[in-house]
Amino acid sequence: MLQGGFTSVLQVRDPDELLTEIVGFTRRLGFETVSATTVIDHFQADSEFITLDNTPSAYRHSFEDPGDWRRDPVMQHCKRHSVPIIWNQRTYTAVGLGEKWEGQARYGYHTGIALALHLPEGRHFFFGVDRDRPLPEGSAELTRIVADLQLFAVHAQDAAQRVLLPSSPALALPSLTPRELESLRWTMEGKTAWELGNILGISERTAVLHVNNATHKLGCVNKHQAVLKALRAGLIR
């Protein structure tokens, strides 16, 4: 799991390096434009948005218009769901926004994929990639692209939290059981729950339970983020 381009983003030292990594990954995946937004919800105050992107300058005014966000069907999907959305012209015409799609398509926003990671403590991470041509029709290739995007988003979110947000006081690490730590180590190696069960001599259901418990204790939203946090904290190696 933690190999190649997915890990290089974790080594960035500042926002410029993070944007370079994000744009490089996006282009290797076959897309031209990307936006990565960290959102912090504040109690009794407006949410804070920190965005890294390579939006064309001619389209930036529309891209940064909050009113545009509120009616955009892709953004509305990401606000409510963690499941990625694969969008195209039909996504906009279905809600009566065909003219909006025609306007953005002139700047390369023809189709794309977007997703959101909704994190504890009112934090969110939106990640979207766009291109000026249709996505591949083969389901296997499209599935691979979405999977790569999801995995990279977890790593990019971790890097964004580190280089974009102020440091907070260190919190006490949760106590994970030996089986939970072992489950995270094997998850880091890319093992499935079924493979994990065979290695540890337990049922697949119990293996899933160990990984889920570790993820919950670490305050993470999925097992990939839990592995990253455990690695960074020195809980696993």
Side-chain angles (χ1 to χ4, degrees):
M1 183 181 77
L2 301 176
Q3 298 176 359
F6 297 114
T7 54
S8 61
V9 70
L10 296 175
Q11 310 304 319
V12 300
R13 295 165 294 182
D14 55 52
D16 289 338
E17 289 187 1
L18 178 56
L19 178 59
T20 297
E21 286 291 334
I22 289 174
V23 171
F25 168 83
T26 298
R27 289 175 176 165
R28 290 194 298 273
L29 203 62
F31 296 81
E32 290 83 33
T33 58
V34 58
S35 63
T37 301
T38 297
V39 182
I40 309 169
D41 293 332
H42 296 293
F43 182 64
Q44 294 184 335
D46 292 337
S47 296
E48 181 180 356
F49 295 80
I50 307 171
T51 300
L52 296 175
D53 63 90
N54 65 340
T55 303
S57 57
Y59 185 65
R60 183 160 295 280
H61 177 74
S62 296
F63 175 79
E64 295 179 345
D65 181 2
D68 207 50
W69 296 354
R70 284 191 285 270
R71 67 192 188 105
D72 188 288
V74 176
M75 288 300 298
Q76 292 306 308
H77 171 92
C78 290
K79 283 177 62 177
R80 295 176 173 84
H81 307 284
S82 296
V83 178
I85 178 173
I86 301 170
W87 63 267
N88 55 27
Q89 184 177 12
R90 289 190 299 275
T91 307
Y92 288 83
T93 57
V95 293
L97 292 175
E99 289 187 4
K100 173 173 168 45
W101 179 88
E102 291 176 2
Q104 68 186 40
R106 291 197 295 269
Y107 300 99
Y109 295 83
H110 181 282
T111 188
I113 307 170
L115 60 89
L117 302 176
H118 299 290
L119 310 167
E121 301 177 355
R123 296 190 176 186
H124 314 271
F125 186 70
F126 296 93
F127 195 78
V129 294
D130 322 278
R131 57 197 263 175
D132 60 3
R133 58 197 182 283
L135 291 170
E137 295 184 359
S139 59
E141 184 178 358
L142 188 54
T143 298
R144 177 193 60 78
I145 290 174
V146 173
D148 284 348
L149 189 67
Q150 287 179 291
L151 185 55
F152 182 82
V154 171
H155 290 69
Q157 178 276 141
D158 188 82
Q161 294 281 326
R162 177 170 53 82
V163 303
L164 298 178
L165 303 181
S167 298
S168 56
L171 300 177
L173 291 173
S175 176
L176 272 61
T177 68
R179 272 295 168 90
E180 289 166 353
L181 289 171
E182 198 169 7
S183 297
L184 285 182
R185 290 191 197 98
W186 285 112
T187 299
M188 178 180 65
E189 299 295 334
K191 302 300 182 184
T192 65
W194 180 82
E195 292 171 321
L196 183 57
N198 285 335
I199 292 169
L200 300 182
I202 56 179
S203 69
E204 181 178 358
R205 182 177 180 180
T206 302
V208 170
L209 181 63
H210 286 318
V211 173
N212 287 346
N213 284 344
T215 300
H216 177 73
K217 287 181 179 180
L218 290 168
C220 298
V221 296
N222 57 48
K223 63 183 181 180
H224 303 307
Q225 188 187 23
V227 167
L228 287 173
K229 189 168 185 177
L231 276 170
R232 197 170 63 244
L235 296 176
I236 60 176
R237 300 185 183 281

